[in-house]
Amino acid sequence: MYFENLAMLGNYAPFFLKGVWTTIWLSAVCLALATVTGLVVGTLHQLAWKPVRALITVYIHLVRGTPFLVQLFIIFFLLPELVGLELSPIPSALVALLIHGTAYIAAIFSAGVASIPKGQWEATAAQGLSLMQTLRHVAFPQIFQFVLPPLVGQYVLLIKDTTVVSIVGVTELTKSGLLIASRIPEGVTIFSVIGVFYFLICYPLVHLANRLEQRFTPTAGN
Amino acid sequence: MLGHFNLQLIFDHFDLFRHGLWWTCLLSAMGWISAVSLGLTACALKLGPVRALQRSAGFYIESIRSTPLLVQLYFLYFGLPEIGIVLPEVVVGVIALGLNSGAYMAEIFRAGILKVAPGQIEAARSSGLSAWRIQRHVVLPQAVAYAAMPLMSQTIVLVKDSSLLSLISITELAFAAEDFYSRFFSPLEGYVTIALLYFAIYLILNSASDHWARKIKTITGTG
């Protein structure tokens, strides 16, 4: 019976694939942008003027302390007011994902920058390197190993968070499943197929995160 | 909308939020208990000697970690009745929360156990301690200390994840905001209120976790 249902779902294949495509581009855009903003905000969190650091700390805690669903709804209702336009749900979804993702990624980069010993900053300053040169040639190459495993882990979480934007009407993978489920009552089949799609997107990254962690994280006590 | 953010309306209908807050706490607590039990079981199976059980625990952990909670939730919500299991939404919600966080907790427990230095186990063995005593007095106390902090983070994640249960019409905190919106047609008041309430829960859990971290530092020497 399961396979009959699966065959029936075949009719909806183009619809599914459209959802897959939306999930993929939404995730890709959000991850790319959030990595850049997260790098900048995370570095500022360690090096900027004190009030700026405090502001970033508050921002990170606010994002970490509230569910993404709530952040999304606040952006969704607030953003059209701020720009004074009727907006399709996609810009709101992207802005919410970006604000959310930036906070988590900034926390990772901030911990990375903090892991550089103080002596190195002093040494590079004594050598006459500018702050940008120190970051570019001394700090970032070292923190790369340190941030990579949690960063990839965070990517997986962010990709999974894109499912939540379905509730403001973005027809990504989860929403397309819901729409099909409202037409044919085959939830097991529909959501197992959707689960497989997410698995195919996320599992390689989960696997990579595990590998990176084994490679770069020293075991304690040794 | 921004110009007339109606504080009075929030206070007049605070019962709505109080009810939601209570349910969020209750669902999170029940989800947490299921997740910890499932996590401990999956961790024990994965570290245990039986190959088939190792594999099935691994399959559970990896498949949950590679798929979103929302899809798992819809799978159970739409799927269970189709195979003849009709449960109240609240039960489906707790199952989904428990299944999801359980997989992450299994990995947290496993990482905690594996972090104990092998040299210590060898030392304990050569001092003549039995396998049970090695676990009881050497491995587990340290493993608990190592696992405590990530466990607290996962608990915070679980509380926030419970907001998704509003989507299967469980009347928790996020549902209260939706309800508020549909009654008074002013969305921001409701969502800002629940954001603050979630944030309050976060602050409590976070400070508990910080307090704990300082104590644990004395056990592991690192924290």
Side-chain angles (χ1 to χ4, degrees), chain A residues 61 64-67 70 73 77-78 81 104 160 163 167 178 185-188 191 195 198-199 202-203 206 210, chain B residues 1-2 62 65-68 70-71 74-75 78-79 82 104 160 163 167 181 187-188 191 194-195 198-199 202:
Chain A
H61 277 295
R64 274 216 280 220
T66 51
V70 177
F73 272 124
F77 290 118
L78 201 60
E81 291 282 315
Y104 283 94
K160 290 190 286 180
T163 56
I167 59 180
L178 266 181
E186 304 294 349
V188 174
F191 286 103
Y198 277 109
F199 187 87
C202 294
Y203 185 70
V206 171
N210 286 344
Chain B
M1 201 190 294
L2 278 182
E62 299 299 316
R65 292 214 306 167
S66 303
T67 51
L70 192 52
V71 174
Y74 286 148
F75 180 80
F78 290 104
E82 282 167 28
Y104 291 90
K160 290 188 291 172
S163 64
L167 300 177
Y181 174 35
L188 272 178
Y191 285 104
I194 64 164
Y198 277 113
F199 193 64
Y202 166 79

